[in-house]
Amino acid sequence: MDDLNQLLLGFQVALTWHNVLFMVVGVLLGIVVGVLPGLGGPNGVAILLPLTFGMDPTSAIILLSSIYWGALFGGAITSILFNIPGEAWSVATTFDGYPLAQKGRAGEALTAAFTASFIGALSGVVLITFVAPLVAKFALRFGPAEFFAVFFLTFCSFIGMGRENKAKIVVSLALGFLLAAVGMDTISGDLRLTFGTPELMKGFDFLVVVIGLFGVSEILLTIEEGLHFKGKRAAMDLGVVLRTWASLPRYWATLIRSSVVGMWMGVTPGGAIAASFMGYGLAKRFSRRPEEFGRGDIEGVLAPETAAHAAGTSALLPMLALGIPGSATAAVLLGGLMIWGLQPGPLLFVEKKEFVWGLIASMYLGNLAGLLIVLATVPVFAAIMRIPFALVAPIILVVCAIGAYTVEASRFDIWLMLVFGVVGYVFKKLDYPLAPLVLALVLGDRAEDAFRQALLGSGGDLSVFFSNGLVSSLMVIGLLLLFWGPLGDLRKRLARKAGLRRPAPLAP
């Protein structure tokens, strides 16, 4: 009851006219940040952080967090319309969002993505509101072994629960791990697989790779098929919003499951990227129509968006309660809090109640404002699909090059983008899945660091990965998921052989 009273106090703080104005401005800026492939939520918040130094901490954090909410919403726009993930966690959204847009259902896909984003973020805010003390204690139990177990669980779920050819999934994962190993070893400091190229010392930047794999490769495929001066059909009225909402109750299990996965990955913290892939994989596994995934299934948009935004929001919990940022954006916000003279941690909830609960209240209001703003502009975004792709393709290519260049202000990254565009084109032609490659590239180095740190701490004893109930549970679940799919396929194959060997009944 005390938490509810504090929350009401927070709403009184957040609903002042200037804080509401900062909220709306922040959401609009965040949408722009999310749409541009070279920026992203963490960069957008970091760039605008100096503008808040003269503001009071509550208004400043409301503005910056609203930029974050807007970026979460905006990342889905280019993913669905042009197959270019605006944010790292929007990669899984392209798998079904872009095919939906190609079918003339861009408005439906955007509405589903925005609504799922709101539901996922709302579940994370509710978690922060009511379960903060318990979750804070739980997060303290995670060390290197537990972090590796989370990543192991993610990789295993992709192999075991994927419907694609298992060998192709493994090949794609292996290539992703290989790319993740390029650059300076964070533990020993040695250079790996750079071949004397100074630009590769930092490894391959995720955004450069993703822009090439998805954006450039899509342009190459379109050129091969022939550039047609004919736009795609796109809904132009807000009625599509109501029709999409009316269909959402049938996906209640997917929304709940993805929210739980996202909250888990956000608090642990596994991250929004891993959460989006895991949410997509689980939705595909439990779907009654798994063969429709990748061809334009609305469930394939709902699952990753819900999981990613639940994780992105939940990641703020350990930052507030423990001073441990659960994401890159949370780390930037943590720096802002310390600049303003606030020390995140358990005492923050006692000494700065007005600030903490004002921030939590702004999370509810910011997500609601973001949902209303993006839904009101669904017809505008969907109408982009009416522009012939032959006219849009050069603009997309220029935007991709600008996005790749702005990451490190390096022309070398533009060439890398083009190389990965060719790689993505070859993968699509040979029917190799891109998702495992992207997943391994993003999480491969983090998984390796956690694995090696755990072994260094245990003196090389592998039993550290089964040393307590938490890490053992994660590892066992990962192994079960890894072998679930292959064993199921083997059982079906044996059943078919047994059916063929069974003698046919004699005719009477």
Side-chain angles (χ1 to χ4, degrees), residues 115 119 241-256 298-299 302:
T115 308
I119 294 173
V241 176
L242 299 178
R243 290 194 295 272
T244 305
W245 278 355
S247 68
L248 292 184
R250 74 181 68 166
Y251 303 112
W252 64 270
T254 298
L255 294 171
I256 293 175
I298 200 70
E299 195 172 0
L302 293 171

Side-chain angles (χ1 to χ4, degrees), residues 144-145 148 446-456 462 464-465:
F148 173 76
R446 295 170 61 185
E448 180 192 6
D449 289 346
F451 179 79
R452 294 169 65 184
Q453 287 170 5
L455 288 183
L456 287 172
L462 286 173
V464 67
F465 299 109

Side-chain angles (χ1 to χ4, degrees), residues 117-458:
S117 301
F118 173 75
I119 294 173
L122 182 63
S123 64
V125 179
V126 171
L127 179 74
I128 293 174
T129 305
F130 296 104
V131 208
L134 296 176
V135 174
K137 292 179 182 179
F138 177 73
L140 287 173
R141 298 178 58 187
F142 271 72
E146 286 77 12
F147 281 123
F148 173 76
V150 171
F151 298 136
F152 180 75
L153 174 61
T154 306
F155 297 136
C156 289
S157 66
F158 232 83
I159 298 174
M161 305 182 76
R163 294 283 180 173
E164 296 89 354
N165 183 288
K166 298 293 187 291
K168 290 184 176 181
I169 293 177
V170 172
V171 168
S172 187
L173 273 173
L175 180 58
F177 286 130
L178 182 65
L179 294 175
V182 174
M184 183 177 292
D185 185 352
T186 55
I187 293 180
S188 67
D190 296 330
L191 294 179
R192 305 186 300 188
L193 303 175
T194 59
F195 303 104
T197 305
E199 289 85 355
L200 292 179
M201 288 178 61
K202 294 183 179 179
F204 295 109
D205 188 272
F206 172 78
L207 277 174
V208 175
V209 175
V210 168
I211 290 171
L213 287 177
F214 291 90
V216 177
S217 67
E218 190 62 34
I219 293 175
L220 294 176
L221 284 173
T222 307
I223 291 174
E224 180 191 18
E225 295 167 359
L227 290 174
H228 301 291
F229 286 86
K230 182 180 178 183
K232 300 289 182 180
R233 183 176 65 85
M236 292 296 293
D237 59 89
L238 288 176
V240 68
V241 176
L242 299 178
R243 290 194 295 272
T244 305
W245 278 355
S247 68
L248 292 184
R250 74 181 68 166
Y251 303 112
W252 64 270
T254 298
L255 294 171
I256 293 175
R257 181 172 57 244
S258 299
S259 295
V260 172
V261 168
M263 288 187 291
W264 166 269
M265 299 298 281
V267 170
T268 47
I273 303 169
S276 64
F277 282 105
M278 187 176 291
Y280 184 86
L282 291 173
K284 186 175 181 180
R285 184 68 187 182
F286 290 105
S287 173
R288 297 178 181 177
R289 307 179 316 278
E291 68 282 353
E292 293 297 320
F293 277 66
R295 301 177 183 175
D297 193 311
I298 200 70
E299 195 172 0
V301 175
L302 293 171
E305 285 293 311
T306 305
H309 294 77
T313 307
S314 300
L316 297 179
L317 174 56
M319 186 270 286
L320 288 172
L322 301 172
I324 302 172
S327 66
T329 307
V332 176
L333 293 176
L334 176 66
L337 292 180
M338 299 183 73
I339 289 173
W340 300 320
L342 301 174
Q343 183 61 48
L347 291 179
L348 188 65
F349 285 81
V350 178
E351 298 174 351
K352 301 289 182 179
K353 285 185 179 181
E354 181 177 330
F355 169 81
V356 172
W357 290 103
L359 171 60
I360 293 174
S362 75
M363 293 180 185
Y364 288 98
L365 298 173
N367 277 289
L368 181 59
L371 177 65
L372 295 176
I373 290 172
V374 291
L375 284 179
T377 53
V378 161
V380 178
F381 297 136
I384 296 175
M385 295 305 295
R386 288 186 178 274
I387 304 174
F389 193 81
L391 301 178
V392 176
I395 299 175
I396 294 176
L397 191 58
V398 171
V399 171
C400 288
I402 293 173
Y405 179 79
T406 54
V407 172
E408 293 287 344
S410 170
R411 285 180 292 179
F412 181 76
D413 286 340
I414 299 178
W415 290 108
L416 278 181
M417 175 198 75
L418 296 175
V419 170
F420 281 108
V422 175
V423 172
Y425 169 80
V426 173
F427 263 57
K428 291 177 180 179
K429 294 297 291 184
L430 298 178
D431 200 27
Y432 275 78
L434 284 174
L437 187 155
V438 174
L439 181 70
L441 175 64
V442 175
L443 300 180
D445 53 347
R446 295 170 61 185
E448 180 192 6
D449 289 346
F451 179 79
R452 294 169 65 184
Q453 287 170 5
L455 288 183
L456 287 172
S458 65

